[in-house]
Amino acid sequence: AAGRTDAKGAHAGRTHPGRTDAGSTDAGRADAERPPRASARTVESALTPAAAVVLAGVRDLATQIVDLDPRVRADADDAVHRLRVVVRRLRSVLASHRALFDGEHLDRLRDALSRLGALLGETRDLEVRARWAADALAEVEADRGVVDAHARRRLVDDPRSEHADAHRRLVAAKSDTPYDRLLHELDALLDGPVPPLLADDPSGPSSPRKFSRKVAVKEAGRALKRTVTPKHARRVDDRDPVEAARALAALHASRKAARRLRYTVEFADTAPASTLGGRGERVADAAEELQDALGWHRDASLFAEFVLLTAHRADAAGESSFTYGVLHQRAVDQAARALSLADDARRVLRRAV
C-alpha cells in the first residue's frame, strides 16, 4: 500500500465476489446510504507524516481483507483463520490510533468488522474443536491402545459437519447487503488519497516514530492494567460459578489487551516502515507470549467443557465413557499448564514495557 502511486486507478471498478452489480437494487441502496465522500485533498497538505504512515498501513490491511475474500468463500486451507487475524489486526489498529480518525466513521467500520469477525469465529472455532479432538484421540490411541469409533464420530466428525454448515452461513452472509456495505467502507479507504474515515485535523506528533511510541506506551499501560494475578486467574476453577465466570472474563479481557498491544506494535514495525526498533520487537514478543498462553488456556477449557457435555450424551446412548474421561482430564491439565505459562508471560511483559 505504501508503494501504491495510483490507489484509485488500481482499485477503480473492482468487482468483489458475491457483490451485486452496480445497477442492482441492493447495490444502489448501499450506495445511497453511504455518506458523501470528502473533497479530494493531497496527503502532503492534509496529513502529518505520522498520519500518512498510519493510513498507508491501514490501507495495506484493508487490501488483505479484500484479497482474502475469494479464498474464504472457497474454504481454502487456513483462509478463514488468516482473514480473522487480519480483521482483528485492523480493528486493533483503528482503535489504538483512534485520535487520527473520525469517530462516526470509525465506529461504523469497527462494528462492521466485529460482525464479520463473529461469523469467522464461529467457523474457525468449530475447525479448532475438530482438530483438538483429532489430535487428542490420536494421543489416547497411541498411549493406551484405545480406539473409540463412537467418540471419534461425536468429537471429530460431528464438529467437521457443523463446520461445513457454518461455512455455508458465512458465505451466505458475505453475499448480503451488510457485508457489501463493509466492502464499500474498505473501498473508501483505498480509492482516494484521504478517505472520509480520516479526521479533518489529525492530532498528535508529526513524527511517525514519536507518534508510534506514544500509541505503544498507551496500549502497554492498558495491557498491564488488564493483566490478572495468579491468584485471581486460578479462580476459573472455583466451585462458585459466578466467581469462575468473572475470572474467565478477566482472563479473556487480558488476552484481548495483550493481542491489541502486540498488533499495535507490530503494525508500527512492519507497516509500512519500522518506527519502534528493537524494544518494540521485545514488547510485541512478550505480548504474543501472553496472548498465546491465555489462548491455549481458553482452547483447553472449552475443549474440556465440550468433552464433558459430549460424554453425557454418549453415556445416555449406552456408549463407553472411558475415552471421554481421559480426554477431559488431559484438557484440564493443559489448561492449568497454560495458566502457569501465562504467569511467566505476564512478568516478561511487565519487564519489557
Side-chain angles (χ1 to χ4, degrees), residues 31-52:
D31 287 337
E33 292 175 356
R34 263 198 302 169
R37 284 281 175 87
S39 58
R41 296 170 291 173
T42 64
V43 171
E44 291 77 12
S45 63
L47 303 182
T48 65

Side-chain angles (χ1 to χ4, degrees), residues 138-321:
E139 290 179 3
V140 172
E141 292 173 3
D143 294 345
R144 297 175 176 262
V146 175
V147 179
D148 191 330
H150 293 298
R152 177 168 293 279
R153 172 178 57 81
R154 291 183 180 274
L155 297 174
V156 179
D157 297 341
D158 288 352
R160 284 176 176 168
S161 178
E162 293 175 35
H163 169 267
D165 293 339
H167 181 262
R168 282 191 287 270
R169 289 192 295 271
L170 172 62
V171 171
K174 277 172 158 284
S175 300
D176 287 344
T177 302
Y179 182 68
D180 190 66
R181 291 198 191 103
L182 171 60
L183 293 181
H184 277 300
E185 292 283 350
L186 297 178
D187 277 343
L189 278 174
L190 299 171
D191 282 349
V194 180
L197 173 66
L198 211 67
D200 287 333
D201 184 24
S203 60
S206 61
S207 164
R209 182 179 296 274
K210 289 181 179 179
F211 184 68
S212 294
R213 285 178 177 174
K214 177 182 177 181
V215 172
V217 167
K218 180 180 178 181
E219 291 302 318
R222 182 176 179 274
L224 289 178
K225 184 178 179 180
R226 284 165 173 75
T227 56
V228 182
T229 64
K231 182 179 179 180
H232 189 189
R234 282 168 177 75
R235 289 179 185 171
V236 293
D237 298 323
D238 199 291
R239 293 184 178 180
D240 183 346
V242 175
E243 285 297 320
R246 286 174 178 169
L248 194 61
L251 289 173
H252 184 55
S254 177
R255 178 179 177 236
K256 289 197 298 182
R259 181 175 65 206
R260 184 160 136 177
L261 171 60
R262 171 197 169 191
Y263 288 167
T264 297
V265 174
E266 289 179 345
F267 176 81
D269 275 351
T270 61
S274 176
T275 57
L276 292 180
R279 185 179 180 186
E281 184 177 352
R282 290 192 296 273
V283 170
D285 288 345
E288 183 179 8
E289 288 294 327
L290 179 56
Q291 175 195 342
D292 287 348
L294 293 176
W296 184 25
H297 175 267
R298 177 182 179 274
D299 289 344
S301 299
L302 290 176
F303 183 66
E305 182 180 355
F306 169 59
V307 169
L308 189 61
L309 293 174
T310 306
H312 291 318
R313 292 195 292 268
D315 185 63
E319 299 167 8
S320 171
S321 60

